[in-house]
């Protein structure tokens, strides 16, 4: 069962790039790495997902080293509206059979004006 | 709006009681997941159903049960409620097709308060 570890909180100024790292030493071969964003009293929202190397979409980048034991979510030029809790999720896809889904405890990002 | 609906939005009940939470997944999604989020425990995966069958089980108590119906909606049943069961309960859905990861779309949640 892959366990994830993230920093509890981070502060950043508006306009800066923010990097949040998640450790998942026991990641399995079939596990994907997915990041979610959650605002208070709302359900988490998908940000980005990857298996290895680098993935980029319109809101973030995800860096995964070759050993896949960690991953880094990169948010370019954050704004106040990026203040939220960010979760790293490690879990397998459908074809891997039965699996567990492990959310980290989340990183509370506070963006400062 | 994720396309996932959950009812009710709020639920207040007493210890020892039983409640049912309902979730309708996004159109076309076959998998439904249930999560519990409390202040001290973070987001805890409870159980997943895929096309009517249980697919994966997490930290779900024996007092809790779930099912997914032929129309793919799901219900989470919580019985013999305790004060510690007070939490936000989220439902999520995903397509879970071949080669996909597990991108999930979360509903707005049901806030359960046990008095």
């Amino acid at each position: 069962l892959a366990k994830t570890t993230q920093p509890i909180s981070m502060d950043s100024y508006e306009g800066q790039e923010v990097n949040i790292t998640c450790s998942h030493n026991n990641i399995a071969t079939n596990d994907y790495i997915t990041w979610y964003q959650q605002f208070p009293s709302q359900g988490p929202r998908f940000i980005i997902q990857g298996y290895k190397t680098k993935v980029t979409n319109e809101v973030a980048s995800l860096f995964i080293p070759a050993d896949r034991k960690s991953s880094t979510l990169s948010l370019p030029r954050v704004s106040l509206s990026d203040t939220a809790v960010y979760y790293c999720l490690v879990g397998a896809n459908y074809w891997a059979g039965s699996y567990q889904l492990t959310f980290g405890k989340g990183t509370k990002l506070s963006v400062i004006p | 709006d994720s396309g996932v609906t959950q009812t009710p939005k709020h639920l207040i009940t007493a210890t020892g009681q039983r409640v049912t939470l309902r979730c309708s997944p996004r159109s076309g999604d076959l998998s439904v997941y249930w999560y519990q989020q409390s202040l001290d425990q973070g987001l805890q995966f409870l159980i997943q159903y895929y096309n009517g069958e249980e697919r994966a089980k997490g930290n779900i108590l024996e007092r809790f049960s779930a099912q997914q119906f032929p129309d793919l909606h799901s219900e989470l049943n919580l019985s013999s409620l305790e004060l510690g069961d007070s939490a936000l309960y989220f439902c999520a859905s995903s397509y879970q097709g071949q080669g996909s990861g597990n991108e999930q779309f979360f509903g707005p949640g049901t806030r359960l308060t046990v008095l």
Side-chain angles (χ1 to χ4, degrees):
Chain A
L1 180 62
K3 179 181 177 180
T4 62
T5 304
Q6 304 173 232
I8 294 174
S9 64
M10 294 180 70
D11 294 335
S12 176
Y13 288 101
E14 270 191 299
Q16 290 190 328
E17 178 184 74
V18 171
N19 295 310
I20 306 174
T21 297
C22 178
S23 297
H24 27 79
N25 292 321
N26 297 325
I27 189 168
T29 302
N30 295 313
D31 284 344
Y32 279 73
I33 300 156
T34 313
W35 285 81
Y36 288 84
Q37 176 192 55
Q38 187 180 27
F39 298 110
S41 298
Q42 294 185 24
R45 185 180 71 171
F46 172 87
I47 301 174
I48 197 166
Q49 181 179 79
Y51 184 79
K52 60 180 178 181
T53 64
K54 177 183 174 182
V55 180
T56 298
N57 62 20
E58 62 275 9
V59 298
S61 295
L62 179 59
F63 300 91
I64 304 170
D67 65 7
R68 303 199 330 120
K69 293 187 176 181
S70 66
S71 59
T72 299
L73 172 71
S74 181
L75 305 172
R77 297 180 299 281
V78 294
S79 64
L80 295 177
S81 63
D82 292 318
T83 294
V85 178
Y86 291 82
Y87 290 97
C88 164
L89 169 65
V90 174
N93 63 18
Y94 171 79
W95 299 104
S98 295
Y99 60 91
Q100 295 282 337
L101 294 170
T102 308
F103 271 88
K105 290 193 180 295
T107 297
K108 185 174 182 179
L109 172 65
S110 298
V111 179
I112 306 164
Chain B
D1 184 0
S2 66
V4 177
T5 61
Q6 290 186 247
T7 57
K9 189 166 185 172
H10 300 278
L11 196 51
I12 300 174
T13 188
T15 55
Q17 295 298 305
R18 172 189 170 96
V19 297
T20 298
L21 312 183
R22 182 188 169 100
C23 169
S24 293
R26 291 188 323 156
S27 177
D29 283 355
L30 302 177
S31 271
V32 170
Y33 310 76
W34 285 98
Y35 292 89
Q36 179 192 57
Q37 186 171 43
S38 54
L39 284 174
D40 58 347
Q41 291 293 325
L43 201 60
Q44 298 286 319
F45 168 64
L46 296 178
I47 197 165
Q48 181 211 359
Y49 280 83
Y50 174 80
N51 205 19
E53 296 186 359
E54 183 182 304
R55 194 83 180 92
K57 189 176 273 190
N59 301 318
I60 187 166
L61 300 172
E62 287 191 10
R63 301 183 286 109
F64 296 180
S65 65
Q67 55 184 328
Q68 186 179 28
F69 294 87
D71 67 353
L72 300 178
H73 91 271
S74 178
E75 293 181 356
L76 178 67
N77 300 297
L78 314 176
S79 62
S80 303
L81 285 168
E82 302 174 359
L83 295 177
D85 297 327
S86 295
L88 260 174
Y89 290 84
F90 287 107
C91 167
S93 73
S94 70
Y95 171 64
Q96 210 77 47
Q98 180 177 3
S100 70
N102 52 2
E103 177 182 348
Q104 299 170 50
F105 296 84
F106 282 77
T110 293
R111 182 172 293 281
L112 172 66
T113 302
V114 182
L115 301 175

